[in-house]
Amino acid sequence: ATLPNGKILIDVSDKYCPPGILPERAINNGGLLLNNEGGEWCSIDPGKTSSKTVSCNLSFQDDNSLKGKLELRYNDYAAVDFRREWDTFTSTDDYLESFEKKNSHILVTDYSNTLNPSKPTLLNEHMEIEIVNSVNQAGDLLSFSPVFFGKQNSNPFRLEKRVYPVDFTTSRKWMYILTVEIPSGYIPESLPKPLMVTNQTKTMSYTYNITRNENSLQILIRFDIKKPVFLMDEYEDLKLMYNAILAKE
């Protein structure tokens, strides 16, 4: 459609995609736009990304579990994907049962979200949670892995050689922010080292930082995929990037 401030892409065949967001199956470098004067080639890439931010604030309990708040923020294609998934469940309880099955160490005690038809490309989830079976105790030492949600468990790129491009469909952004209150009487003895890695063309980057404050630790992880398509000669770079992420998390 052509508006006073420019053209906007619309696909009415998918109820989850508002104007400006195309179904992933329809995204392409270009297409033929037909009109009364004939036609012209135009981009059918809406230029939107898939962005997800996870914020978690936790404190230790007497039984070495962790309790606190988990908030997830979805933008653009991430929001569209969430809405599509949400509608596959018959109730909030069914959704939470699936969520806890995927994240067996997380118990959700309270839940809400901001599903709003007037804001189809933006939504938040809010949870009160308990993290169980994730803290190890040896004498007076406590240890835990700080990536409680969204951890990369395997490398999706395991082929020795790739003969077709890798297509992520859209650019992608993932951010994980964890704040953990240090228990009274404890001081951090060992912390993960920071890491920043990029591929050769700097179109993919991963950052892992940890900051110690007076009575808390904050972990920030950011993973950016800045373009949707990676050619065959970039495949080895993808494998190395994901191997580095696996080793860190």
Side-chain angles (χ1 to χ4, degrees), residues 166-216:
V166 174
D167 190 351
F168 290 98
T169 310
T170 67
S171 59
R172 297 177 182 271
K173 296 180 180 180
W174 160 269
M175 184 177 292
Y176 175 82
I177 306 167
L178 169 68
T179 302
V180 178
E181 182 180 337
I182 300 172
S184 177
Y186 283 84
I187 59 172
E189 182 175 283
S190 177
L191 298 175
K193 294 181 179 180
L195 175 69
M196 184 172 67
V197 292
T198 64
N199 63 343
Q200 293 186 31
T201 57
K202 301 188 183 303
T203 51
M204 182 179 289
S205 63
Y206 175 85
T207 303
Y208 186 116
N209 279 320
I210 185 164
T211 304
R212 176 185 172 183
N213 299 313
E214 184 176 352
N215 61 350
S216 66

Side-chain angles (χ1 to χ4, degrees), residues 9-108:
L9 298 170
I10 300 174
D11 188 314
V12 298
S13 68
D14 192 323
K15 67 177 182 179
Y16 298 101
C17 293
I21 295 284
L22 291 180
E24 292 188 8
R25 57 176 165 75
I27 296 176
N28 207 332
N29 286 332
L32 182 61
L33 175 65
L34 299 177
N35 52 42
N36 293 334
E37 289 74 36
E40 61 176 308
W41 287 99
C42 66
S43 171
I44 50 175
D45 180 354
K48 303 292 185 179
T49 190
S50 177
S51 177
K52 186 174 180 179
T53 300
V54 180
S55 299
C56 197
N57 291 275
L58 300 172
S59 59
F60 277 88
Q61 307 300 302
D62 292 339
D63 60 356
N64 289 340
S65 65
L66 291 152
K67 288 186 178 180
K69 298 180 183 294
L70 175 65
E71 297 190 7
L72 298 95
R73 181 181 180 91
Y74 304 82
N75 290 86
D76 293 336
Y77 278 96
V80 170
D81 291 341
F82 178 86
R83 292 173 185 278
R84 199 185 305 277
E85 180 188 12
W86 179 264
D87 279 355
T88 65
F89 299 100
T90 58
S91 66
T92 300
D93 287 342
D94 285 345
Y95 170 74
L96 292 179
E97 181 179 349
S98 175
F99 178 90
E100 291 182 342
K101 187 175 181 179
K102 294 175 183 176
N103 305 276
S104 58
H105 58 292
I106 299 179
L107 301 177
V108 181

Side-chain angles (χ1 to χ4, degrees), residues 115-130:
L115 279 168
N116 185 340
S118 67
K119 297 181 179 180
T121 61
L122 174 66
L123 67 89
N124 299 316
E125 289 185 283
H126 306 276
M127 304 183 195
E128 298 282 345
I129 63 169
E130 180 177 1

Side-chain angles (χ1 to χ4, degrees), residues 155-157 162 165-168 199 203-204 223 225 229-245:
N155 190 336
F157 306 112
R162 179 90 178 188
V166 174
D167 190 351
F168 290 98
N199 63 343
T203 51
M204 182 179 289
F223 185 31
I225 302 175
V229 178
F230 290 79
L231 301 179
M232 292 77 76
D233 60 359
E234 298 176 287
Y235 182 70
E236 190 63 28
D237 246 7
L238 287 178
K239 289 172 62 176
L240 293 175
M241 281 288 299
Y242 274 83
N243 282 338
I245 295 170

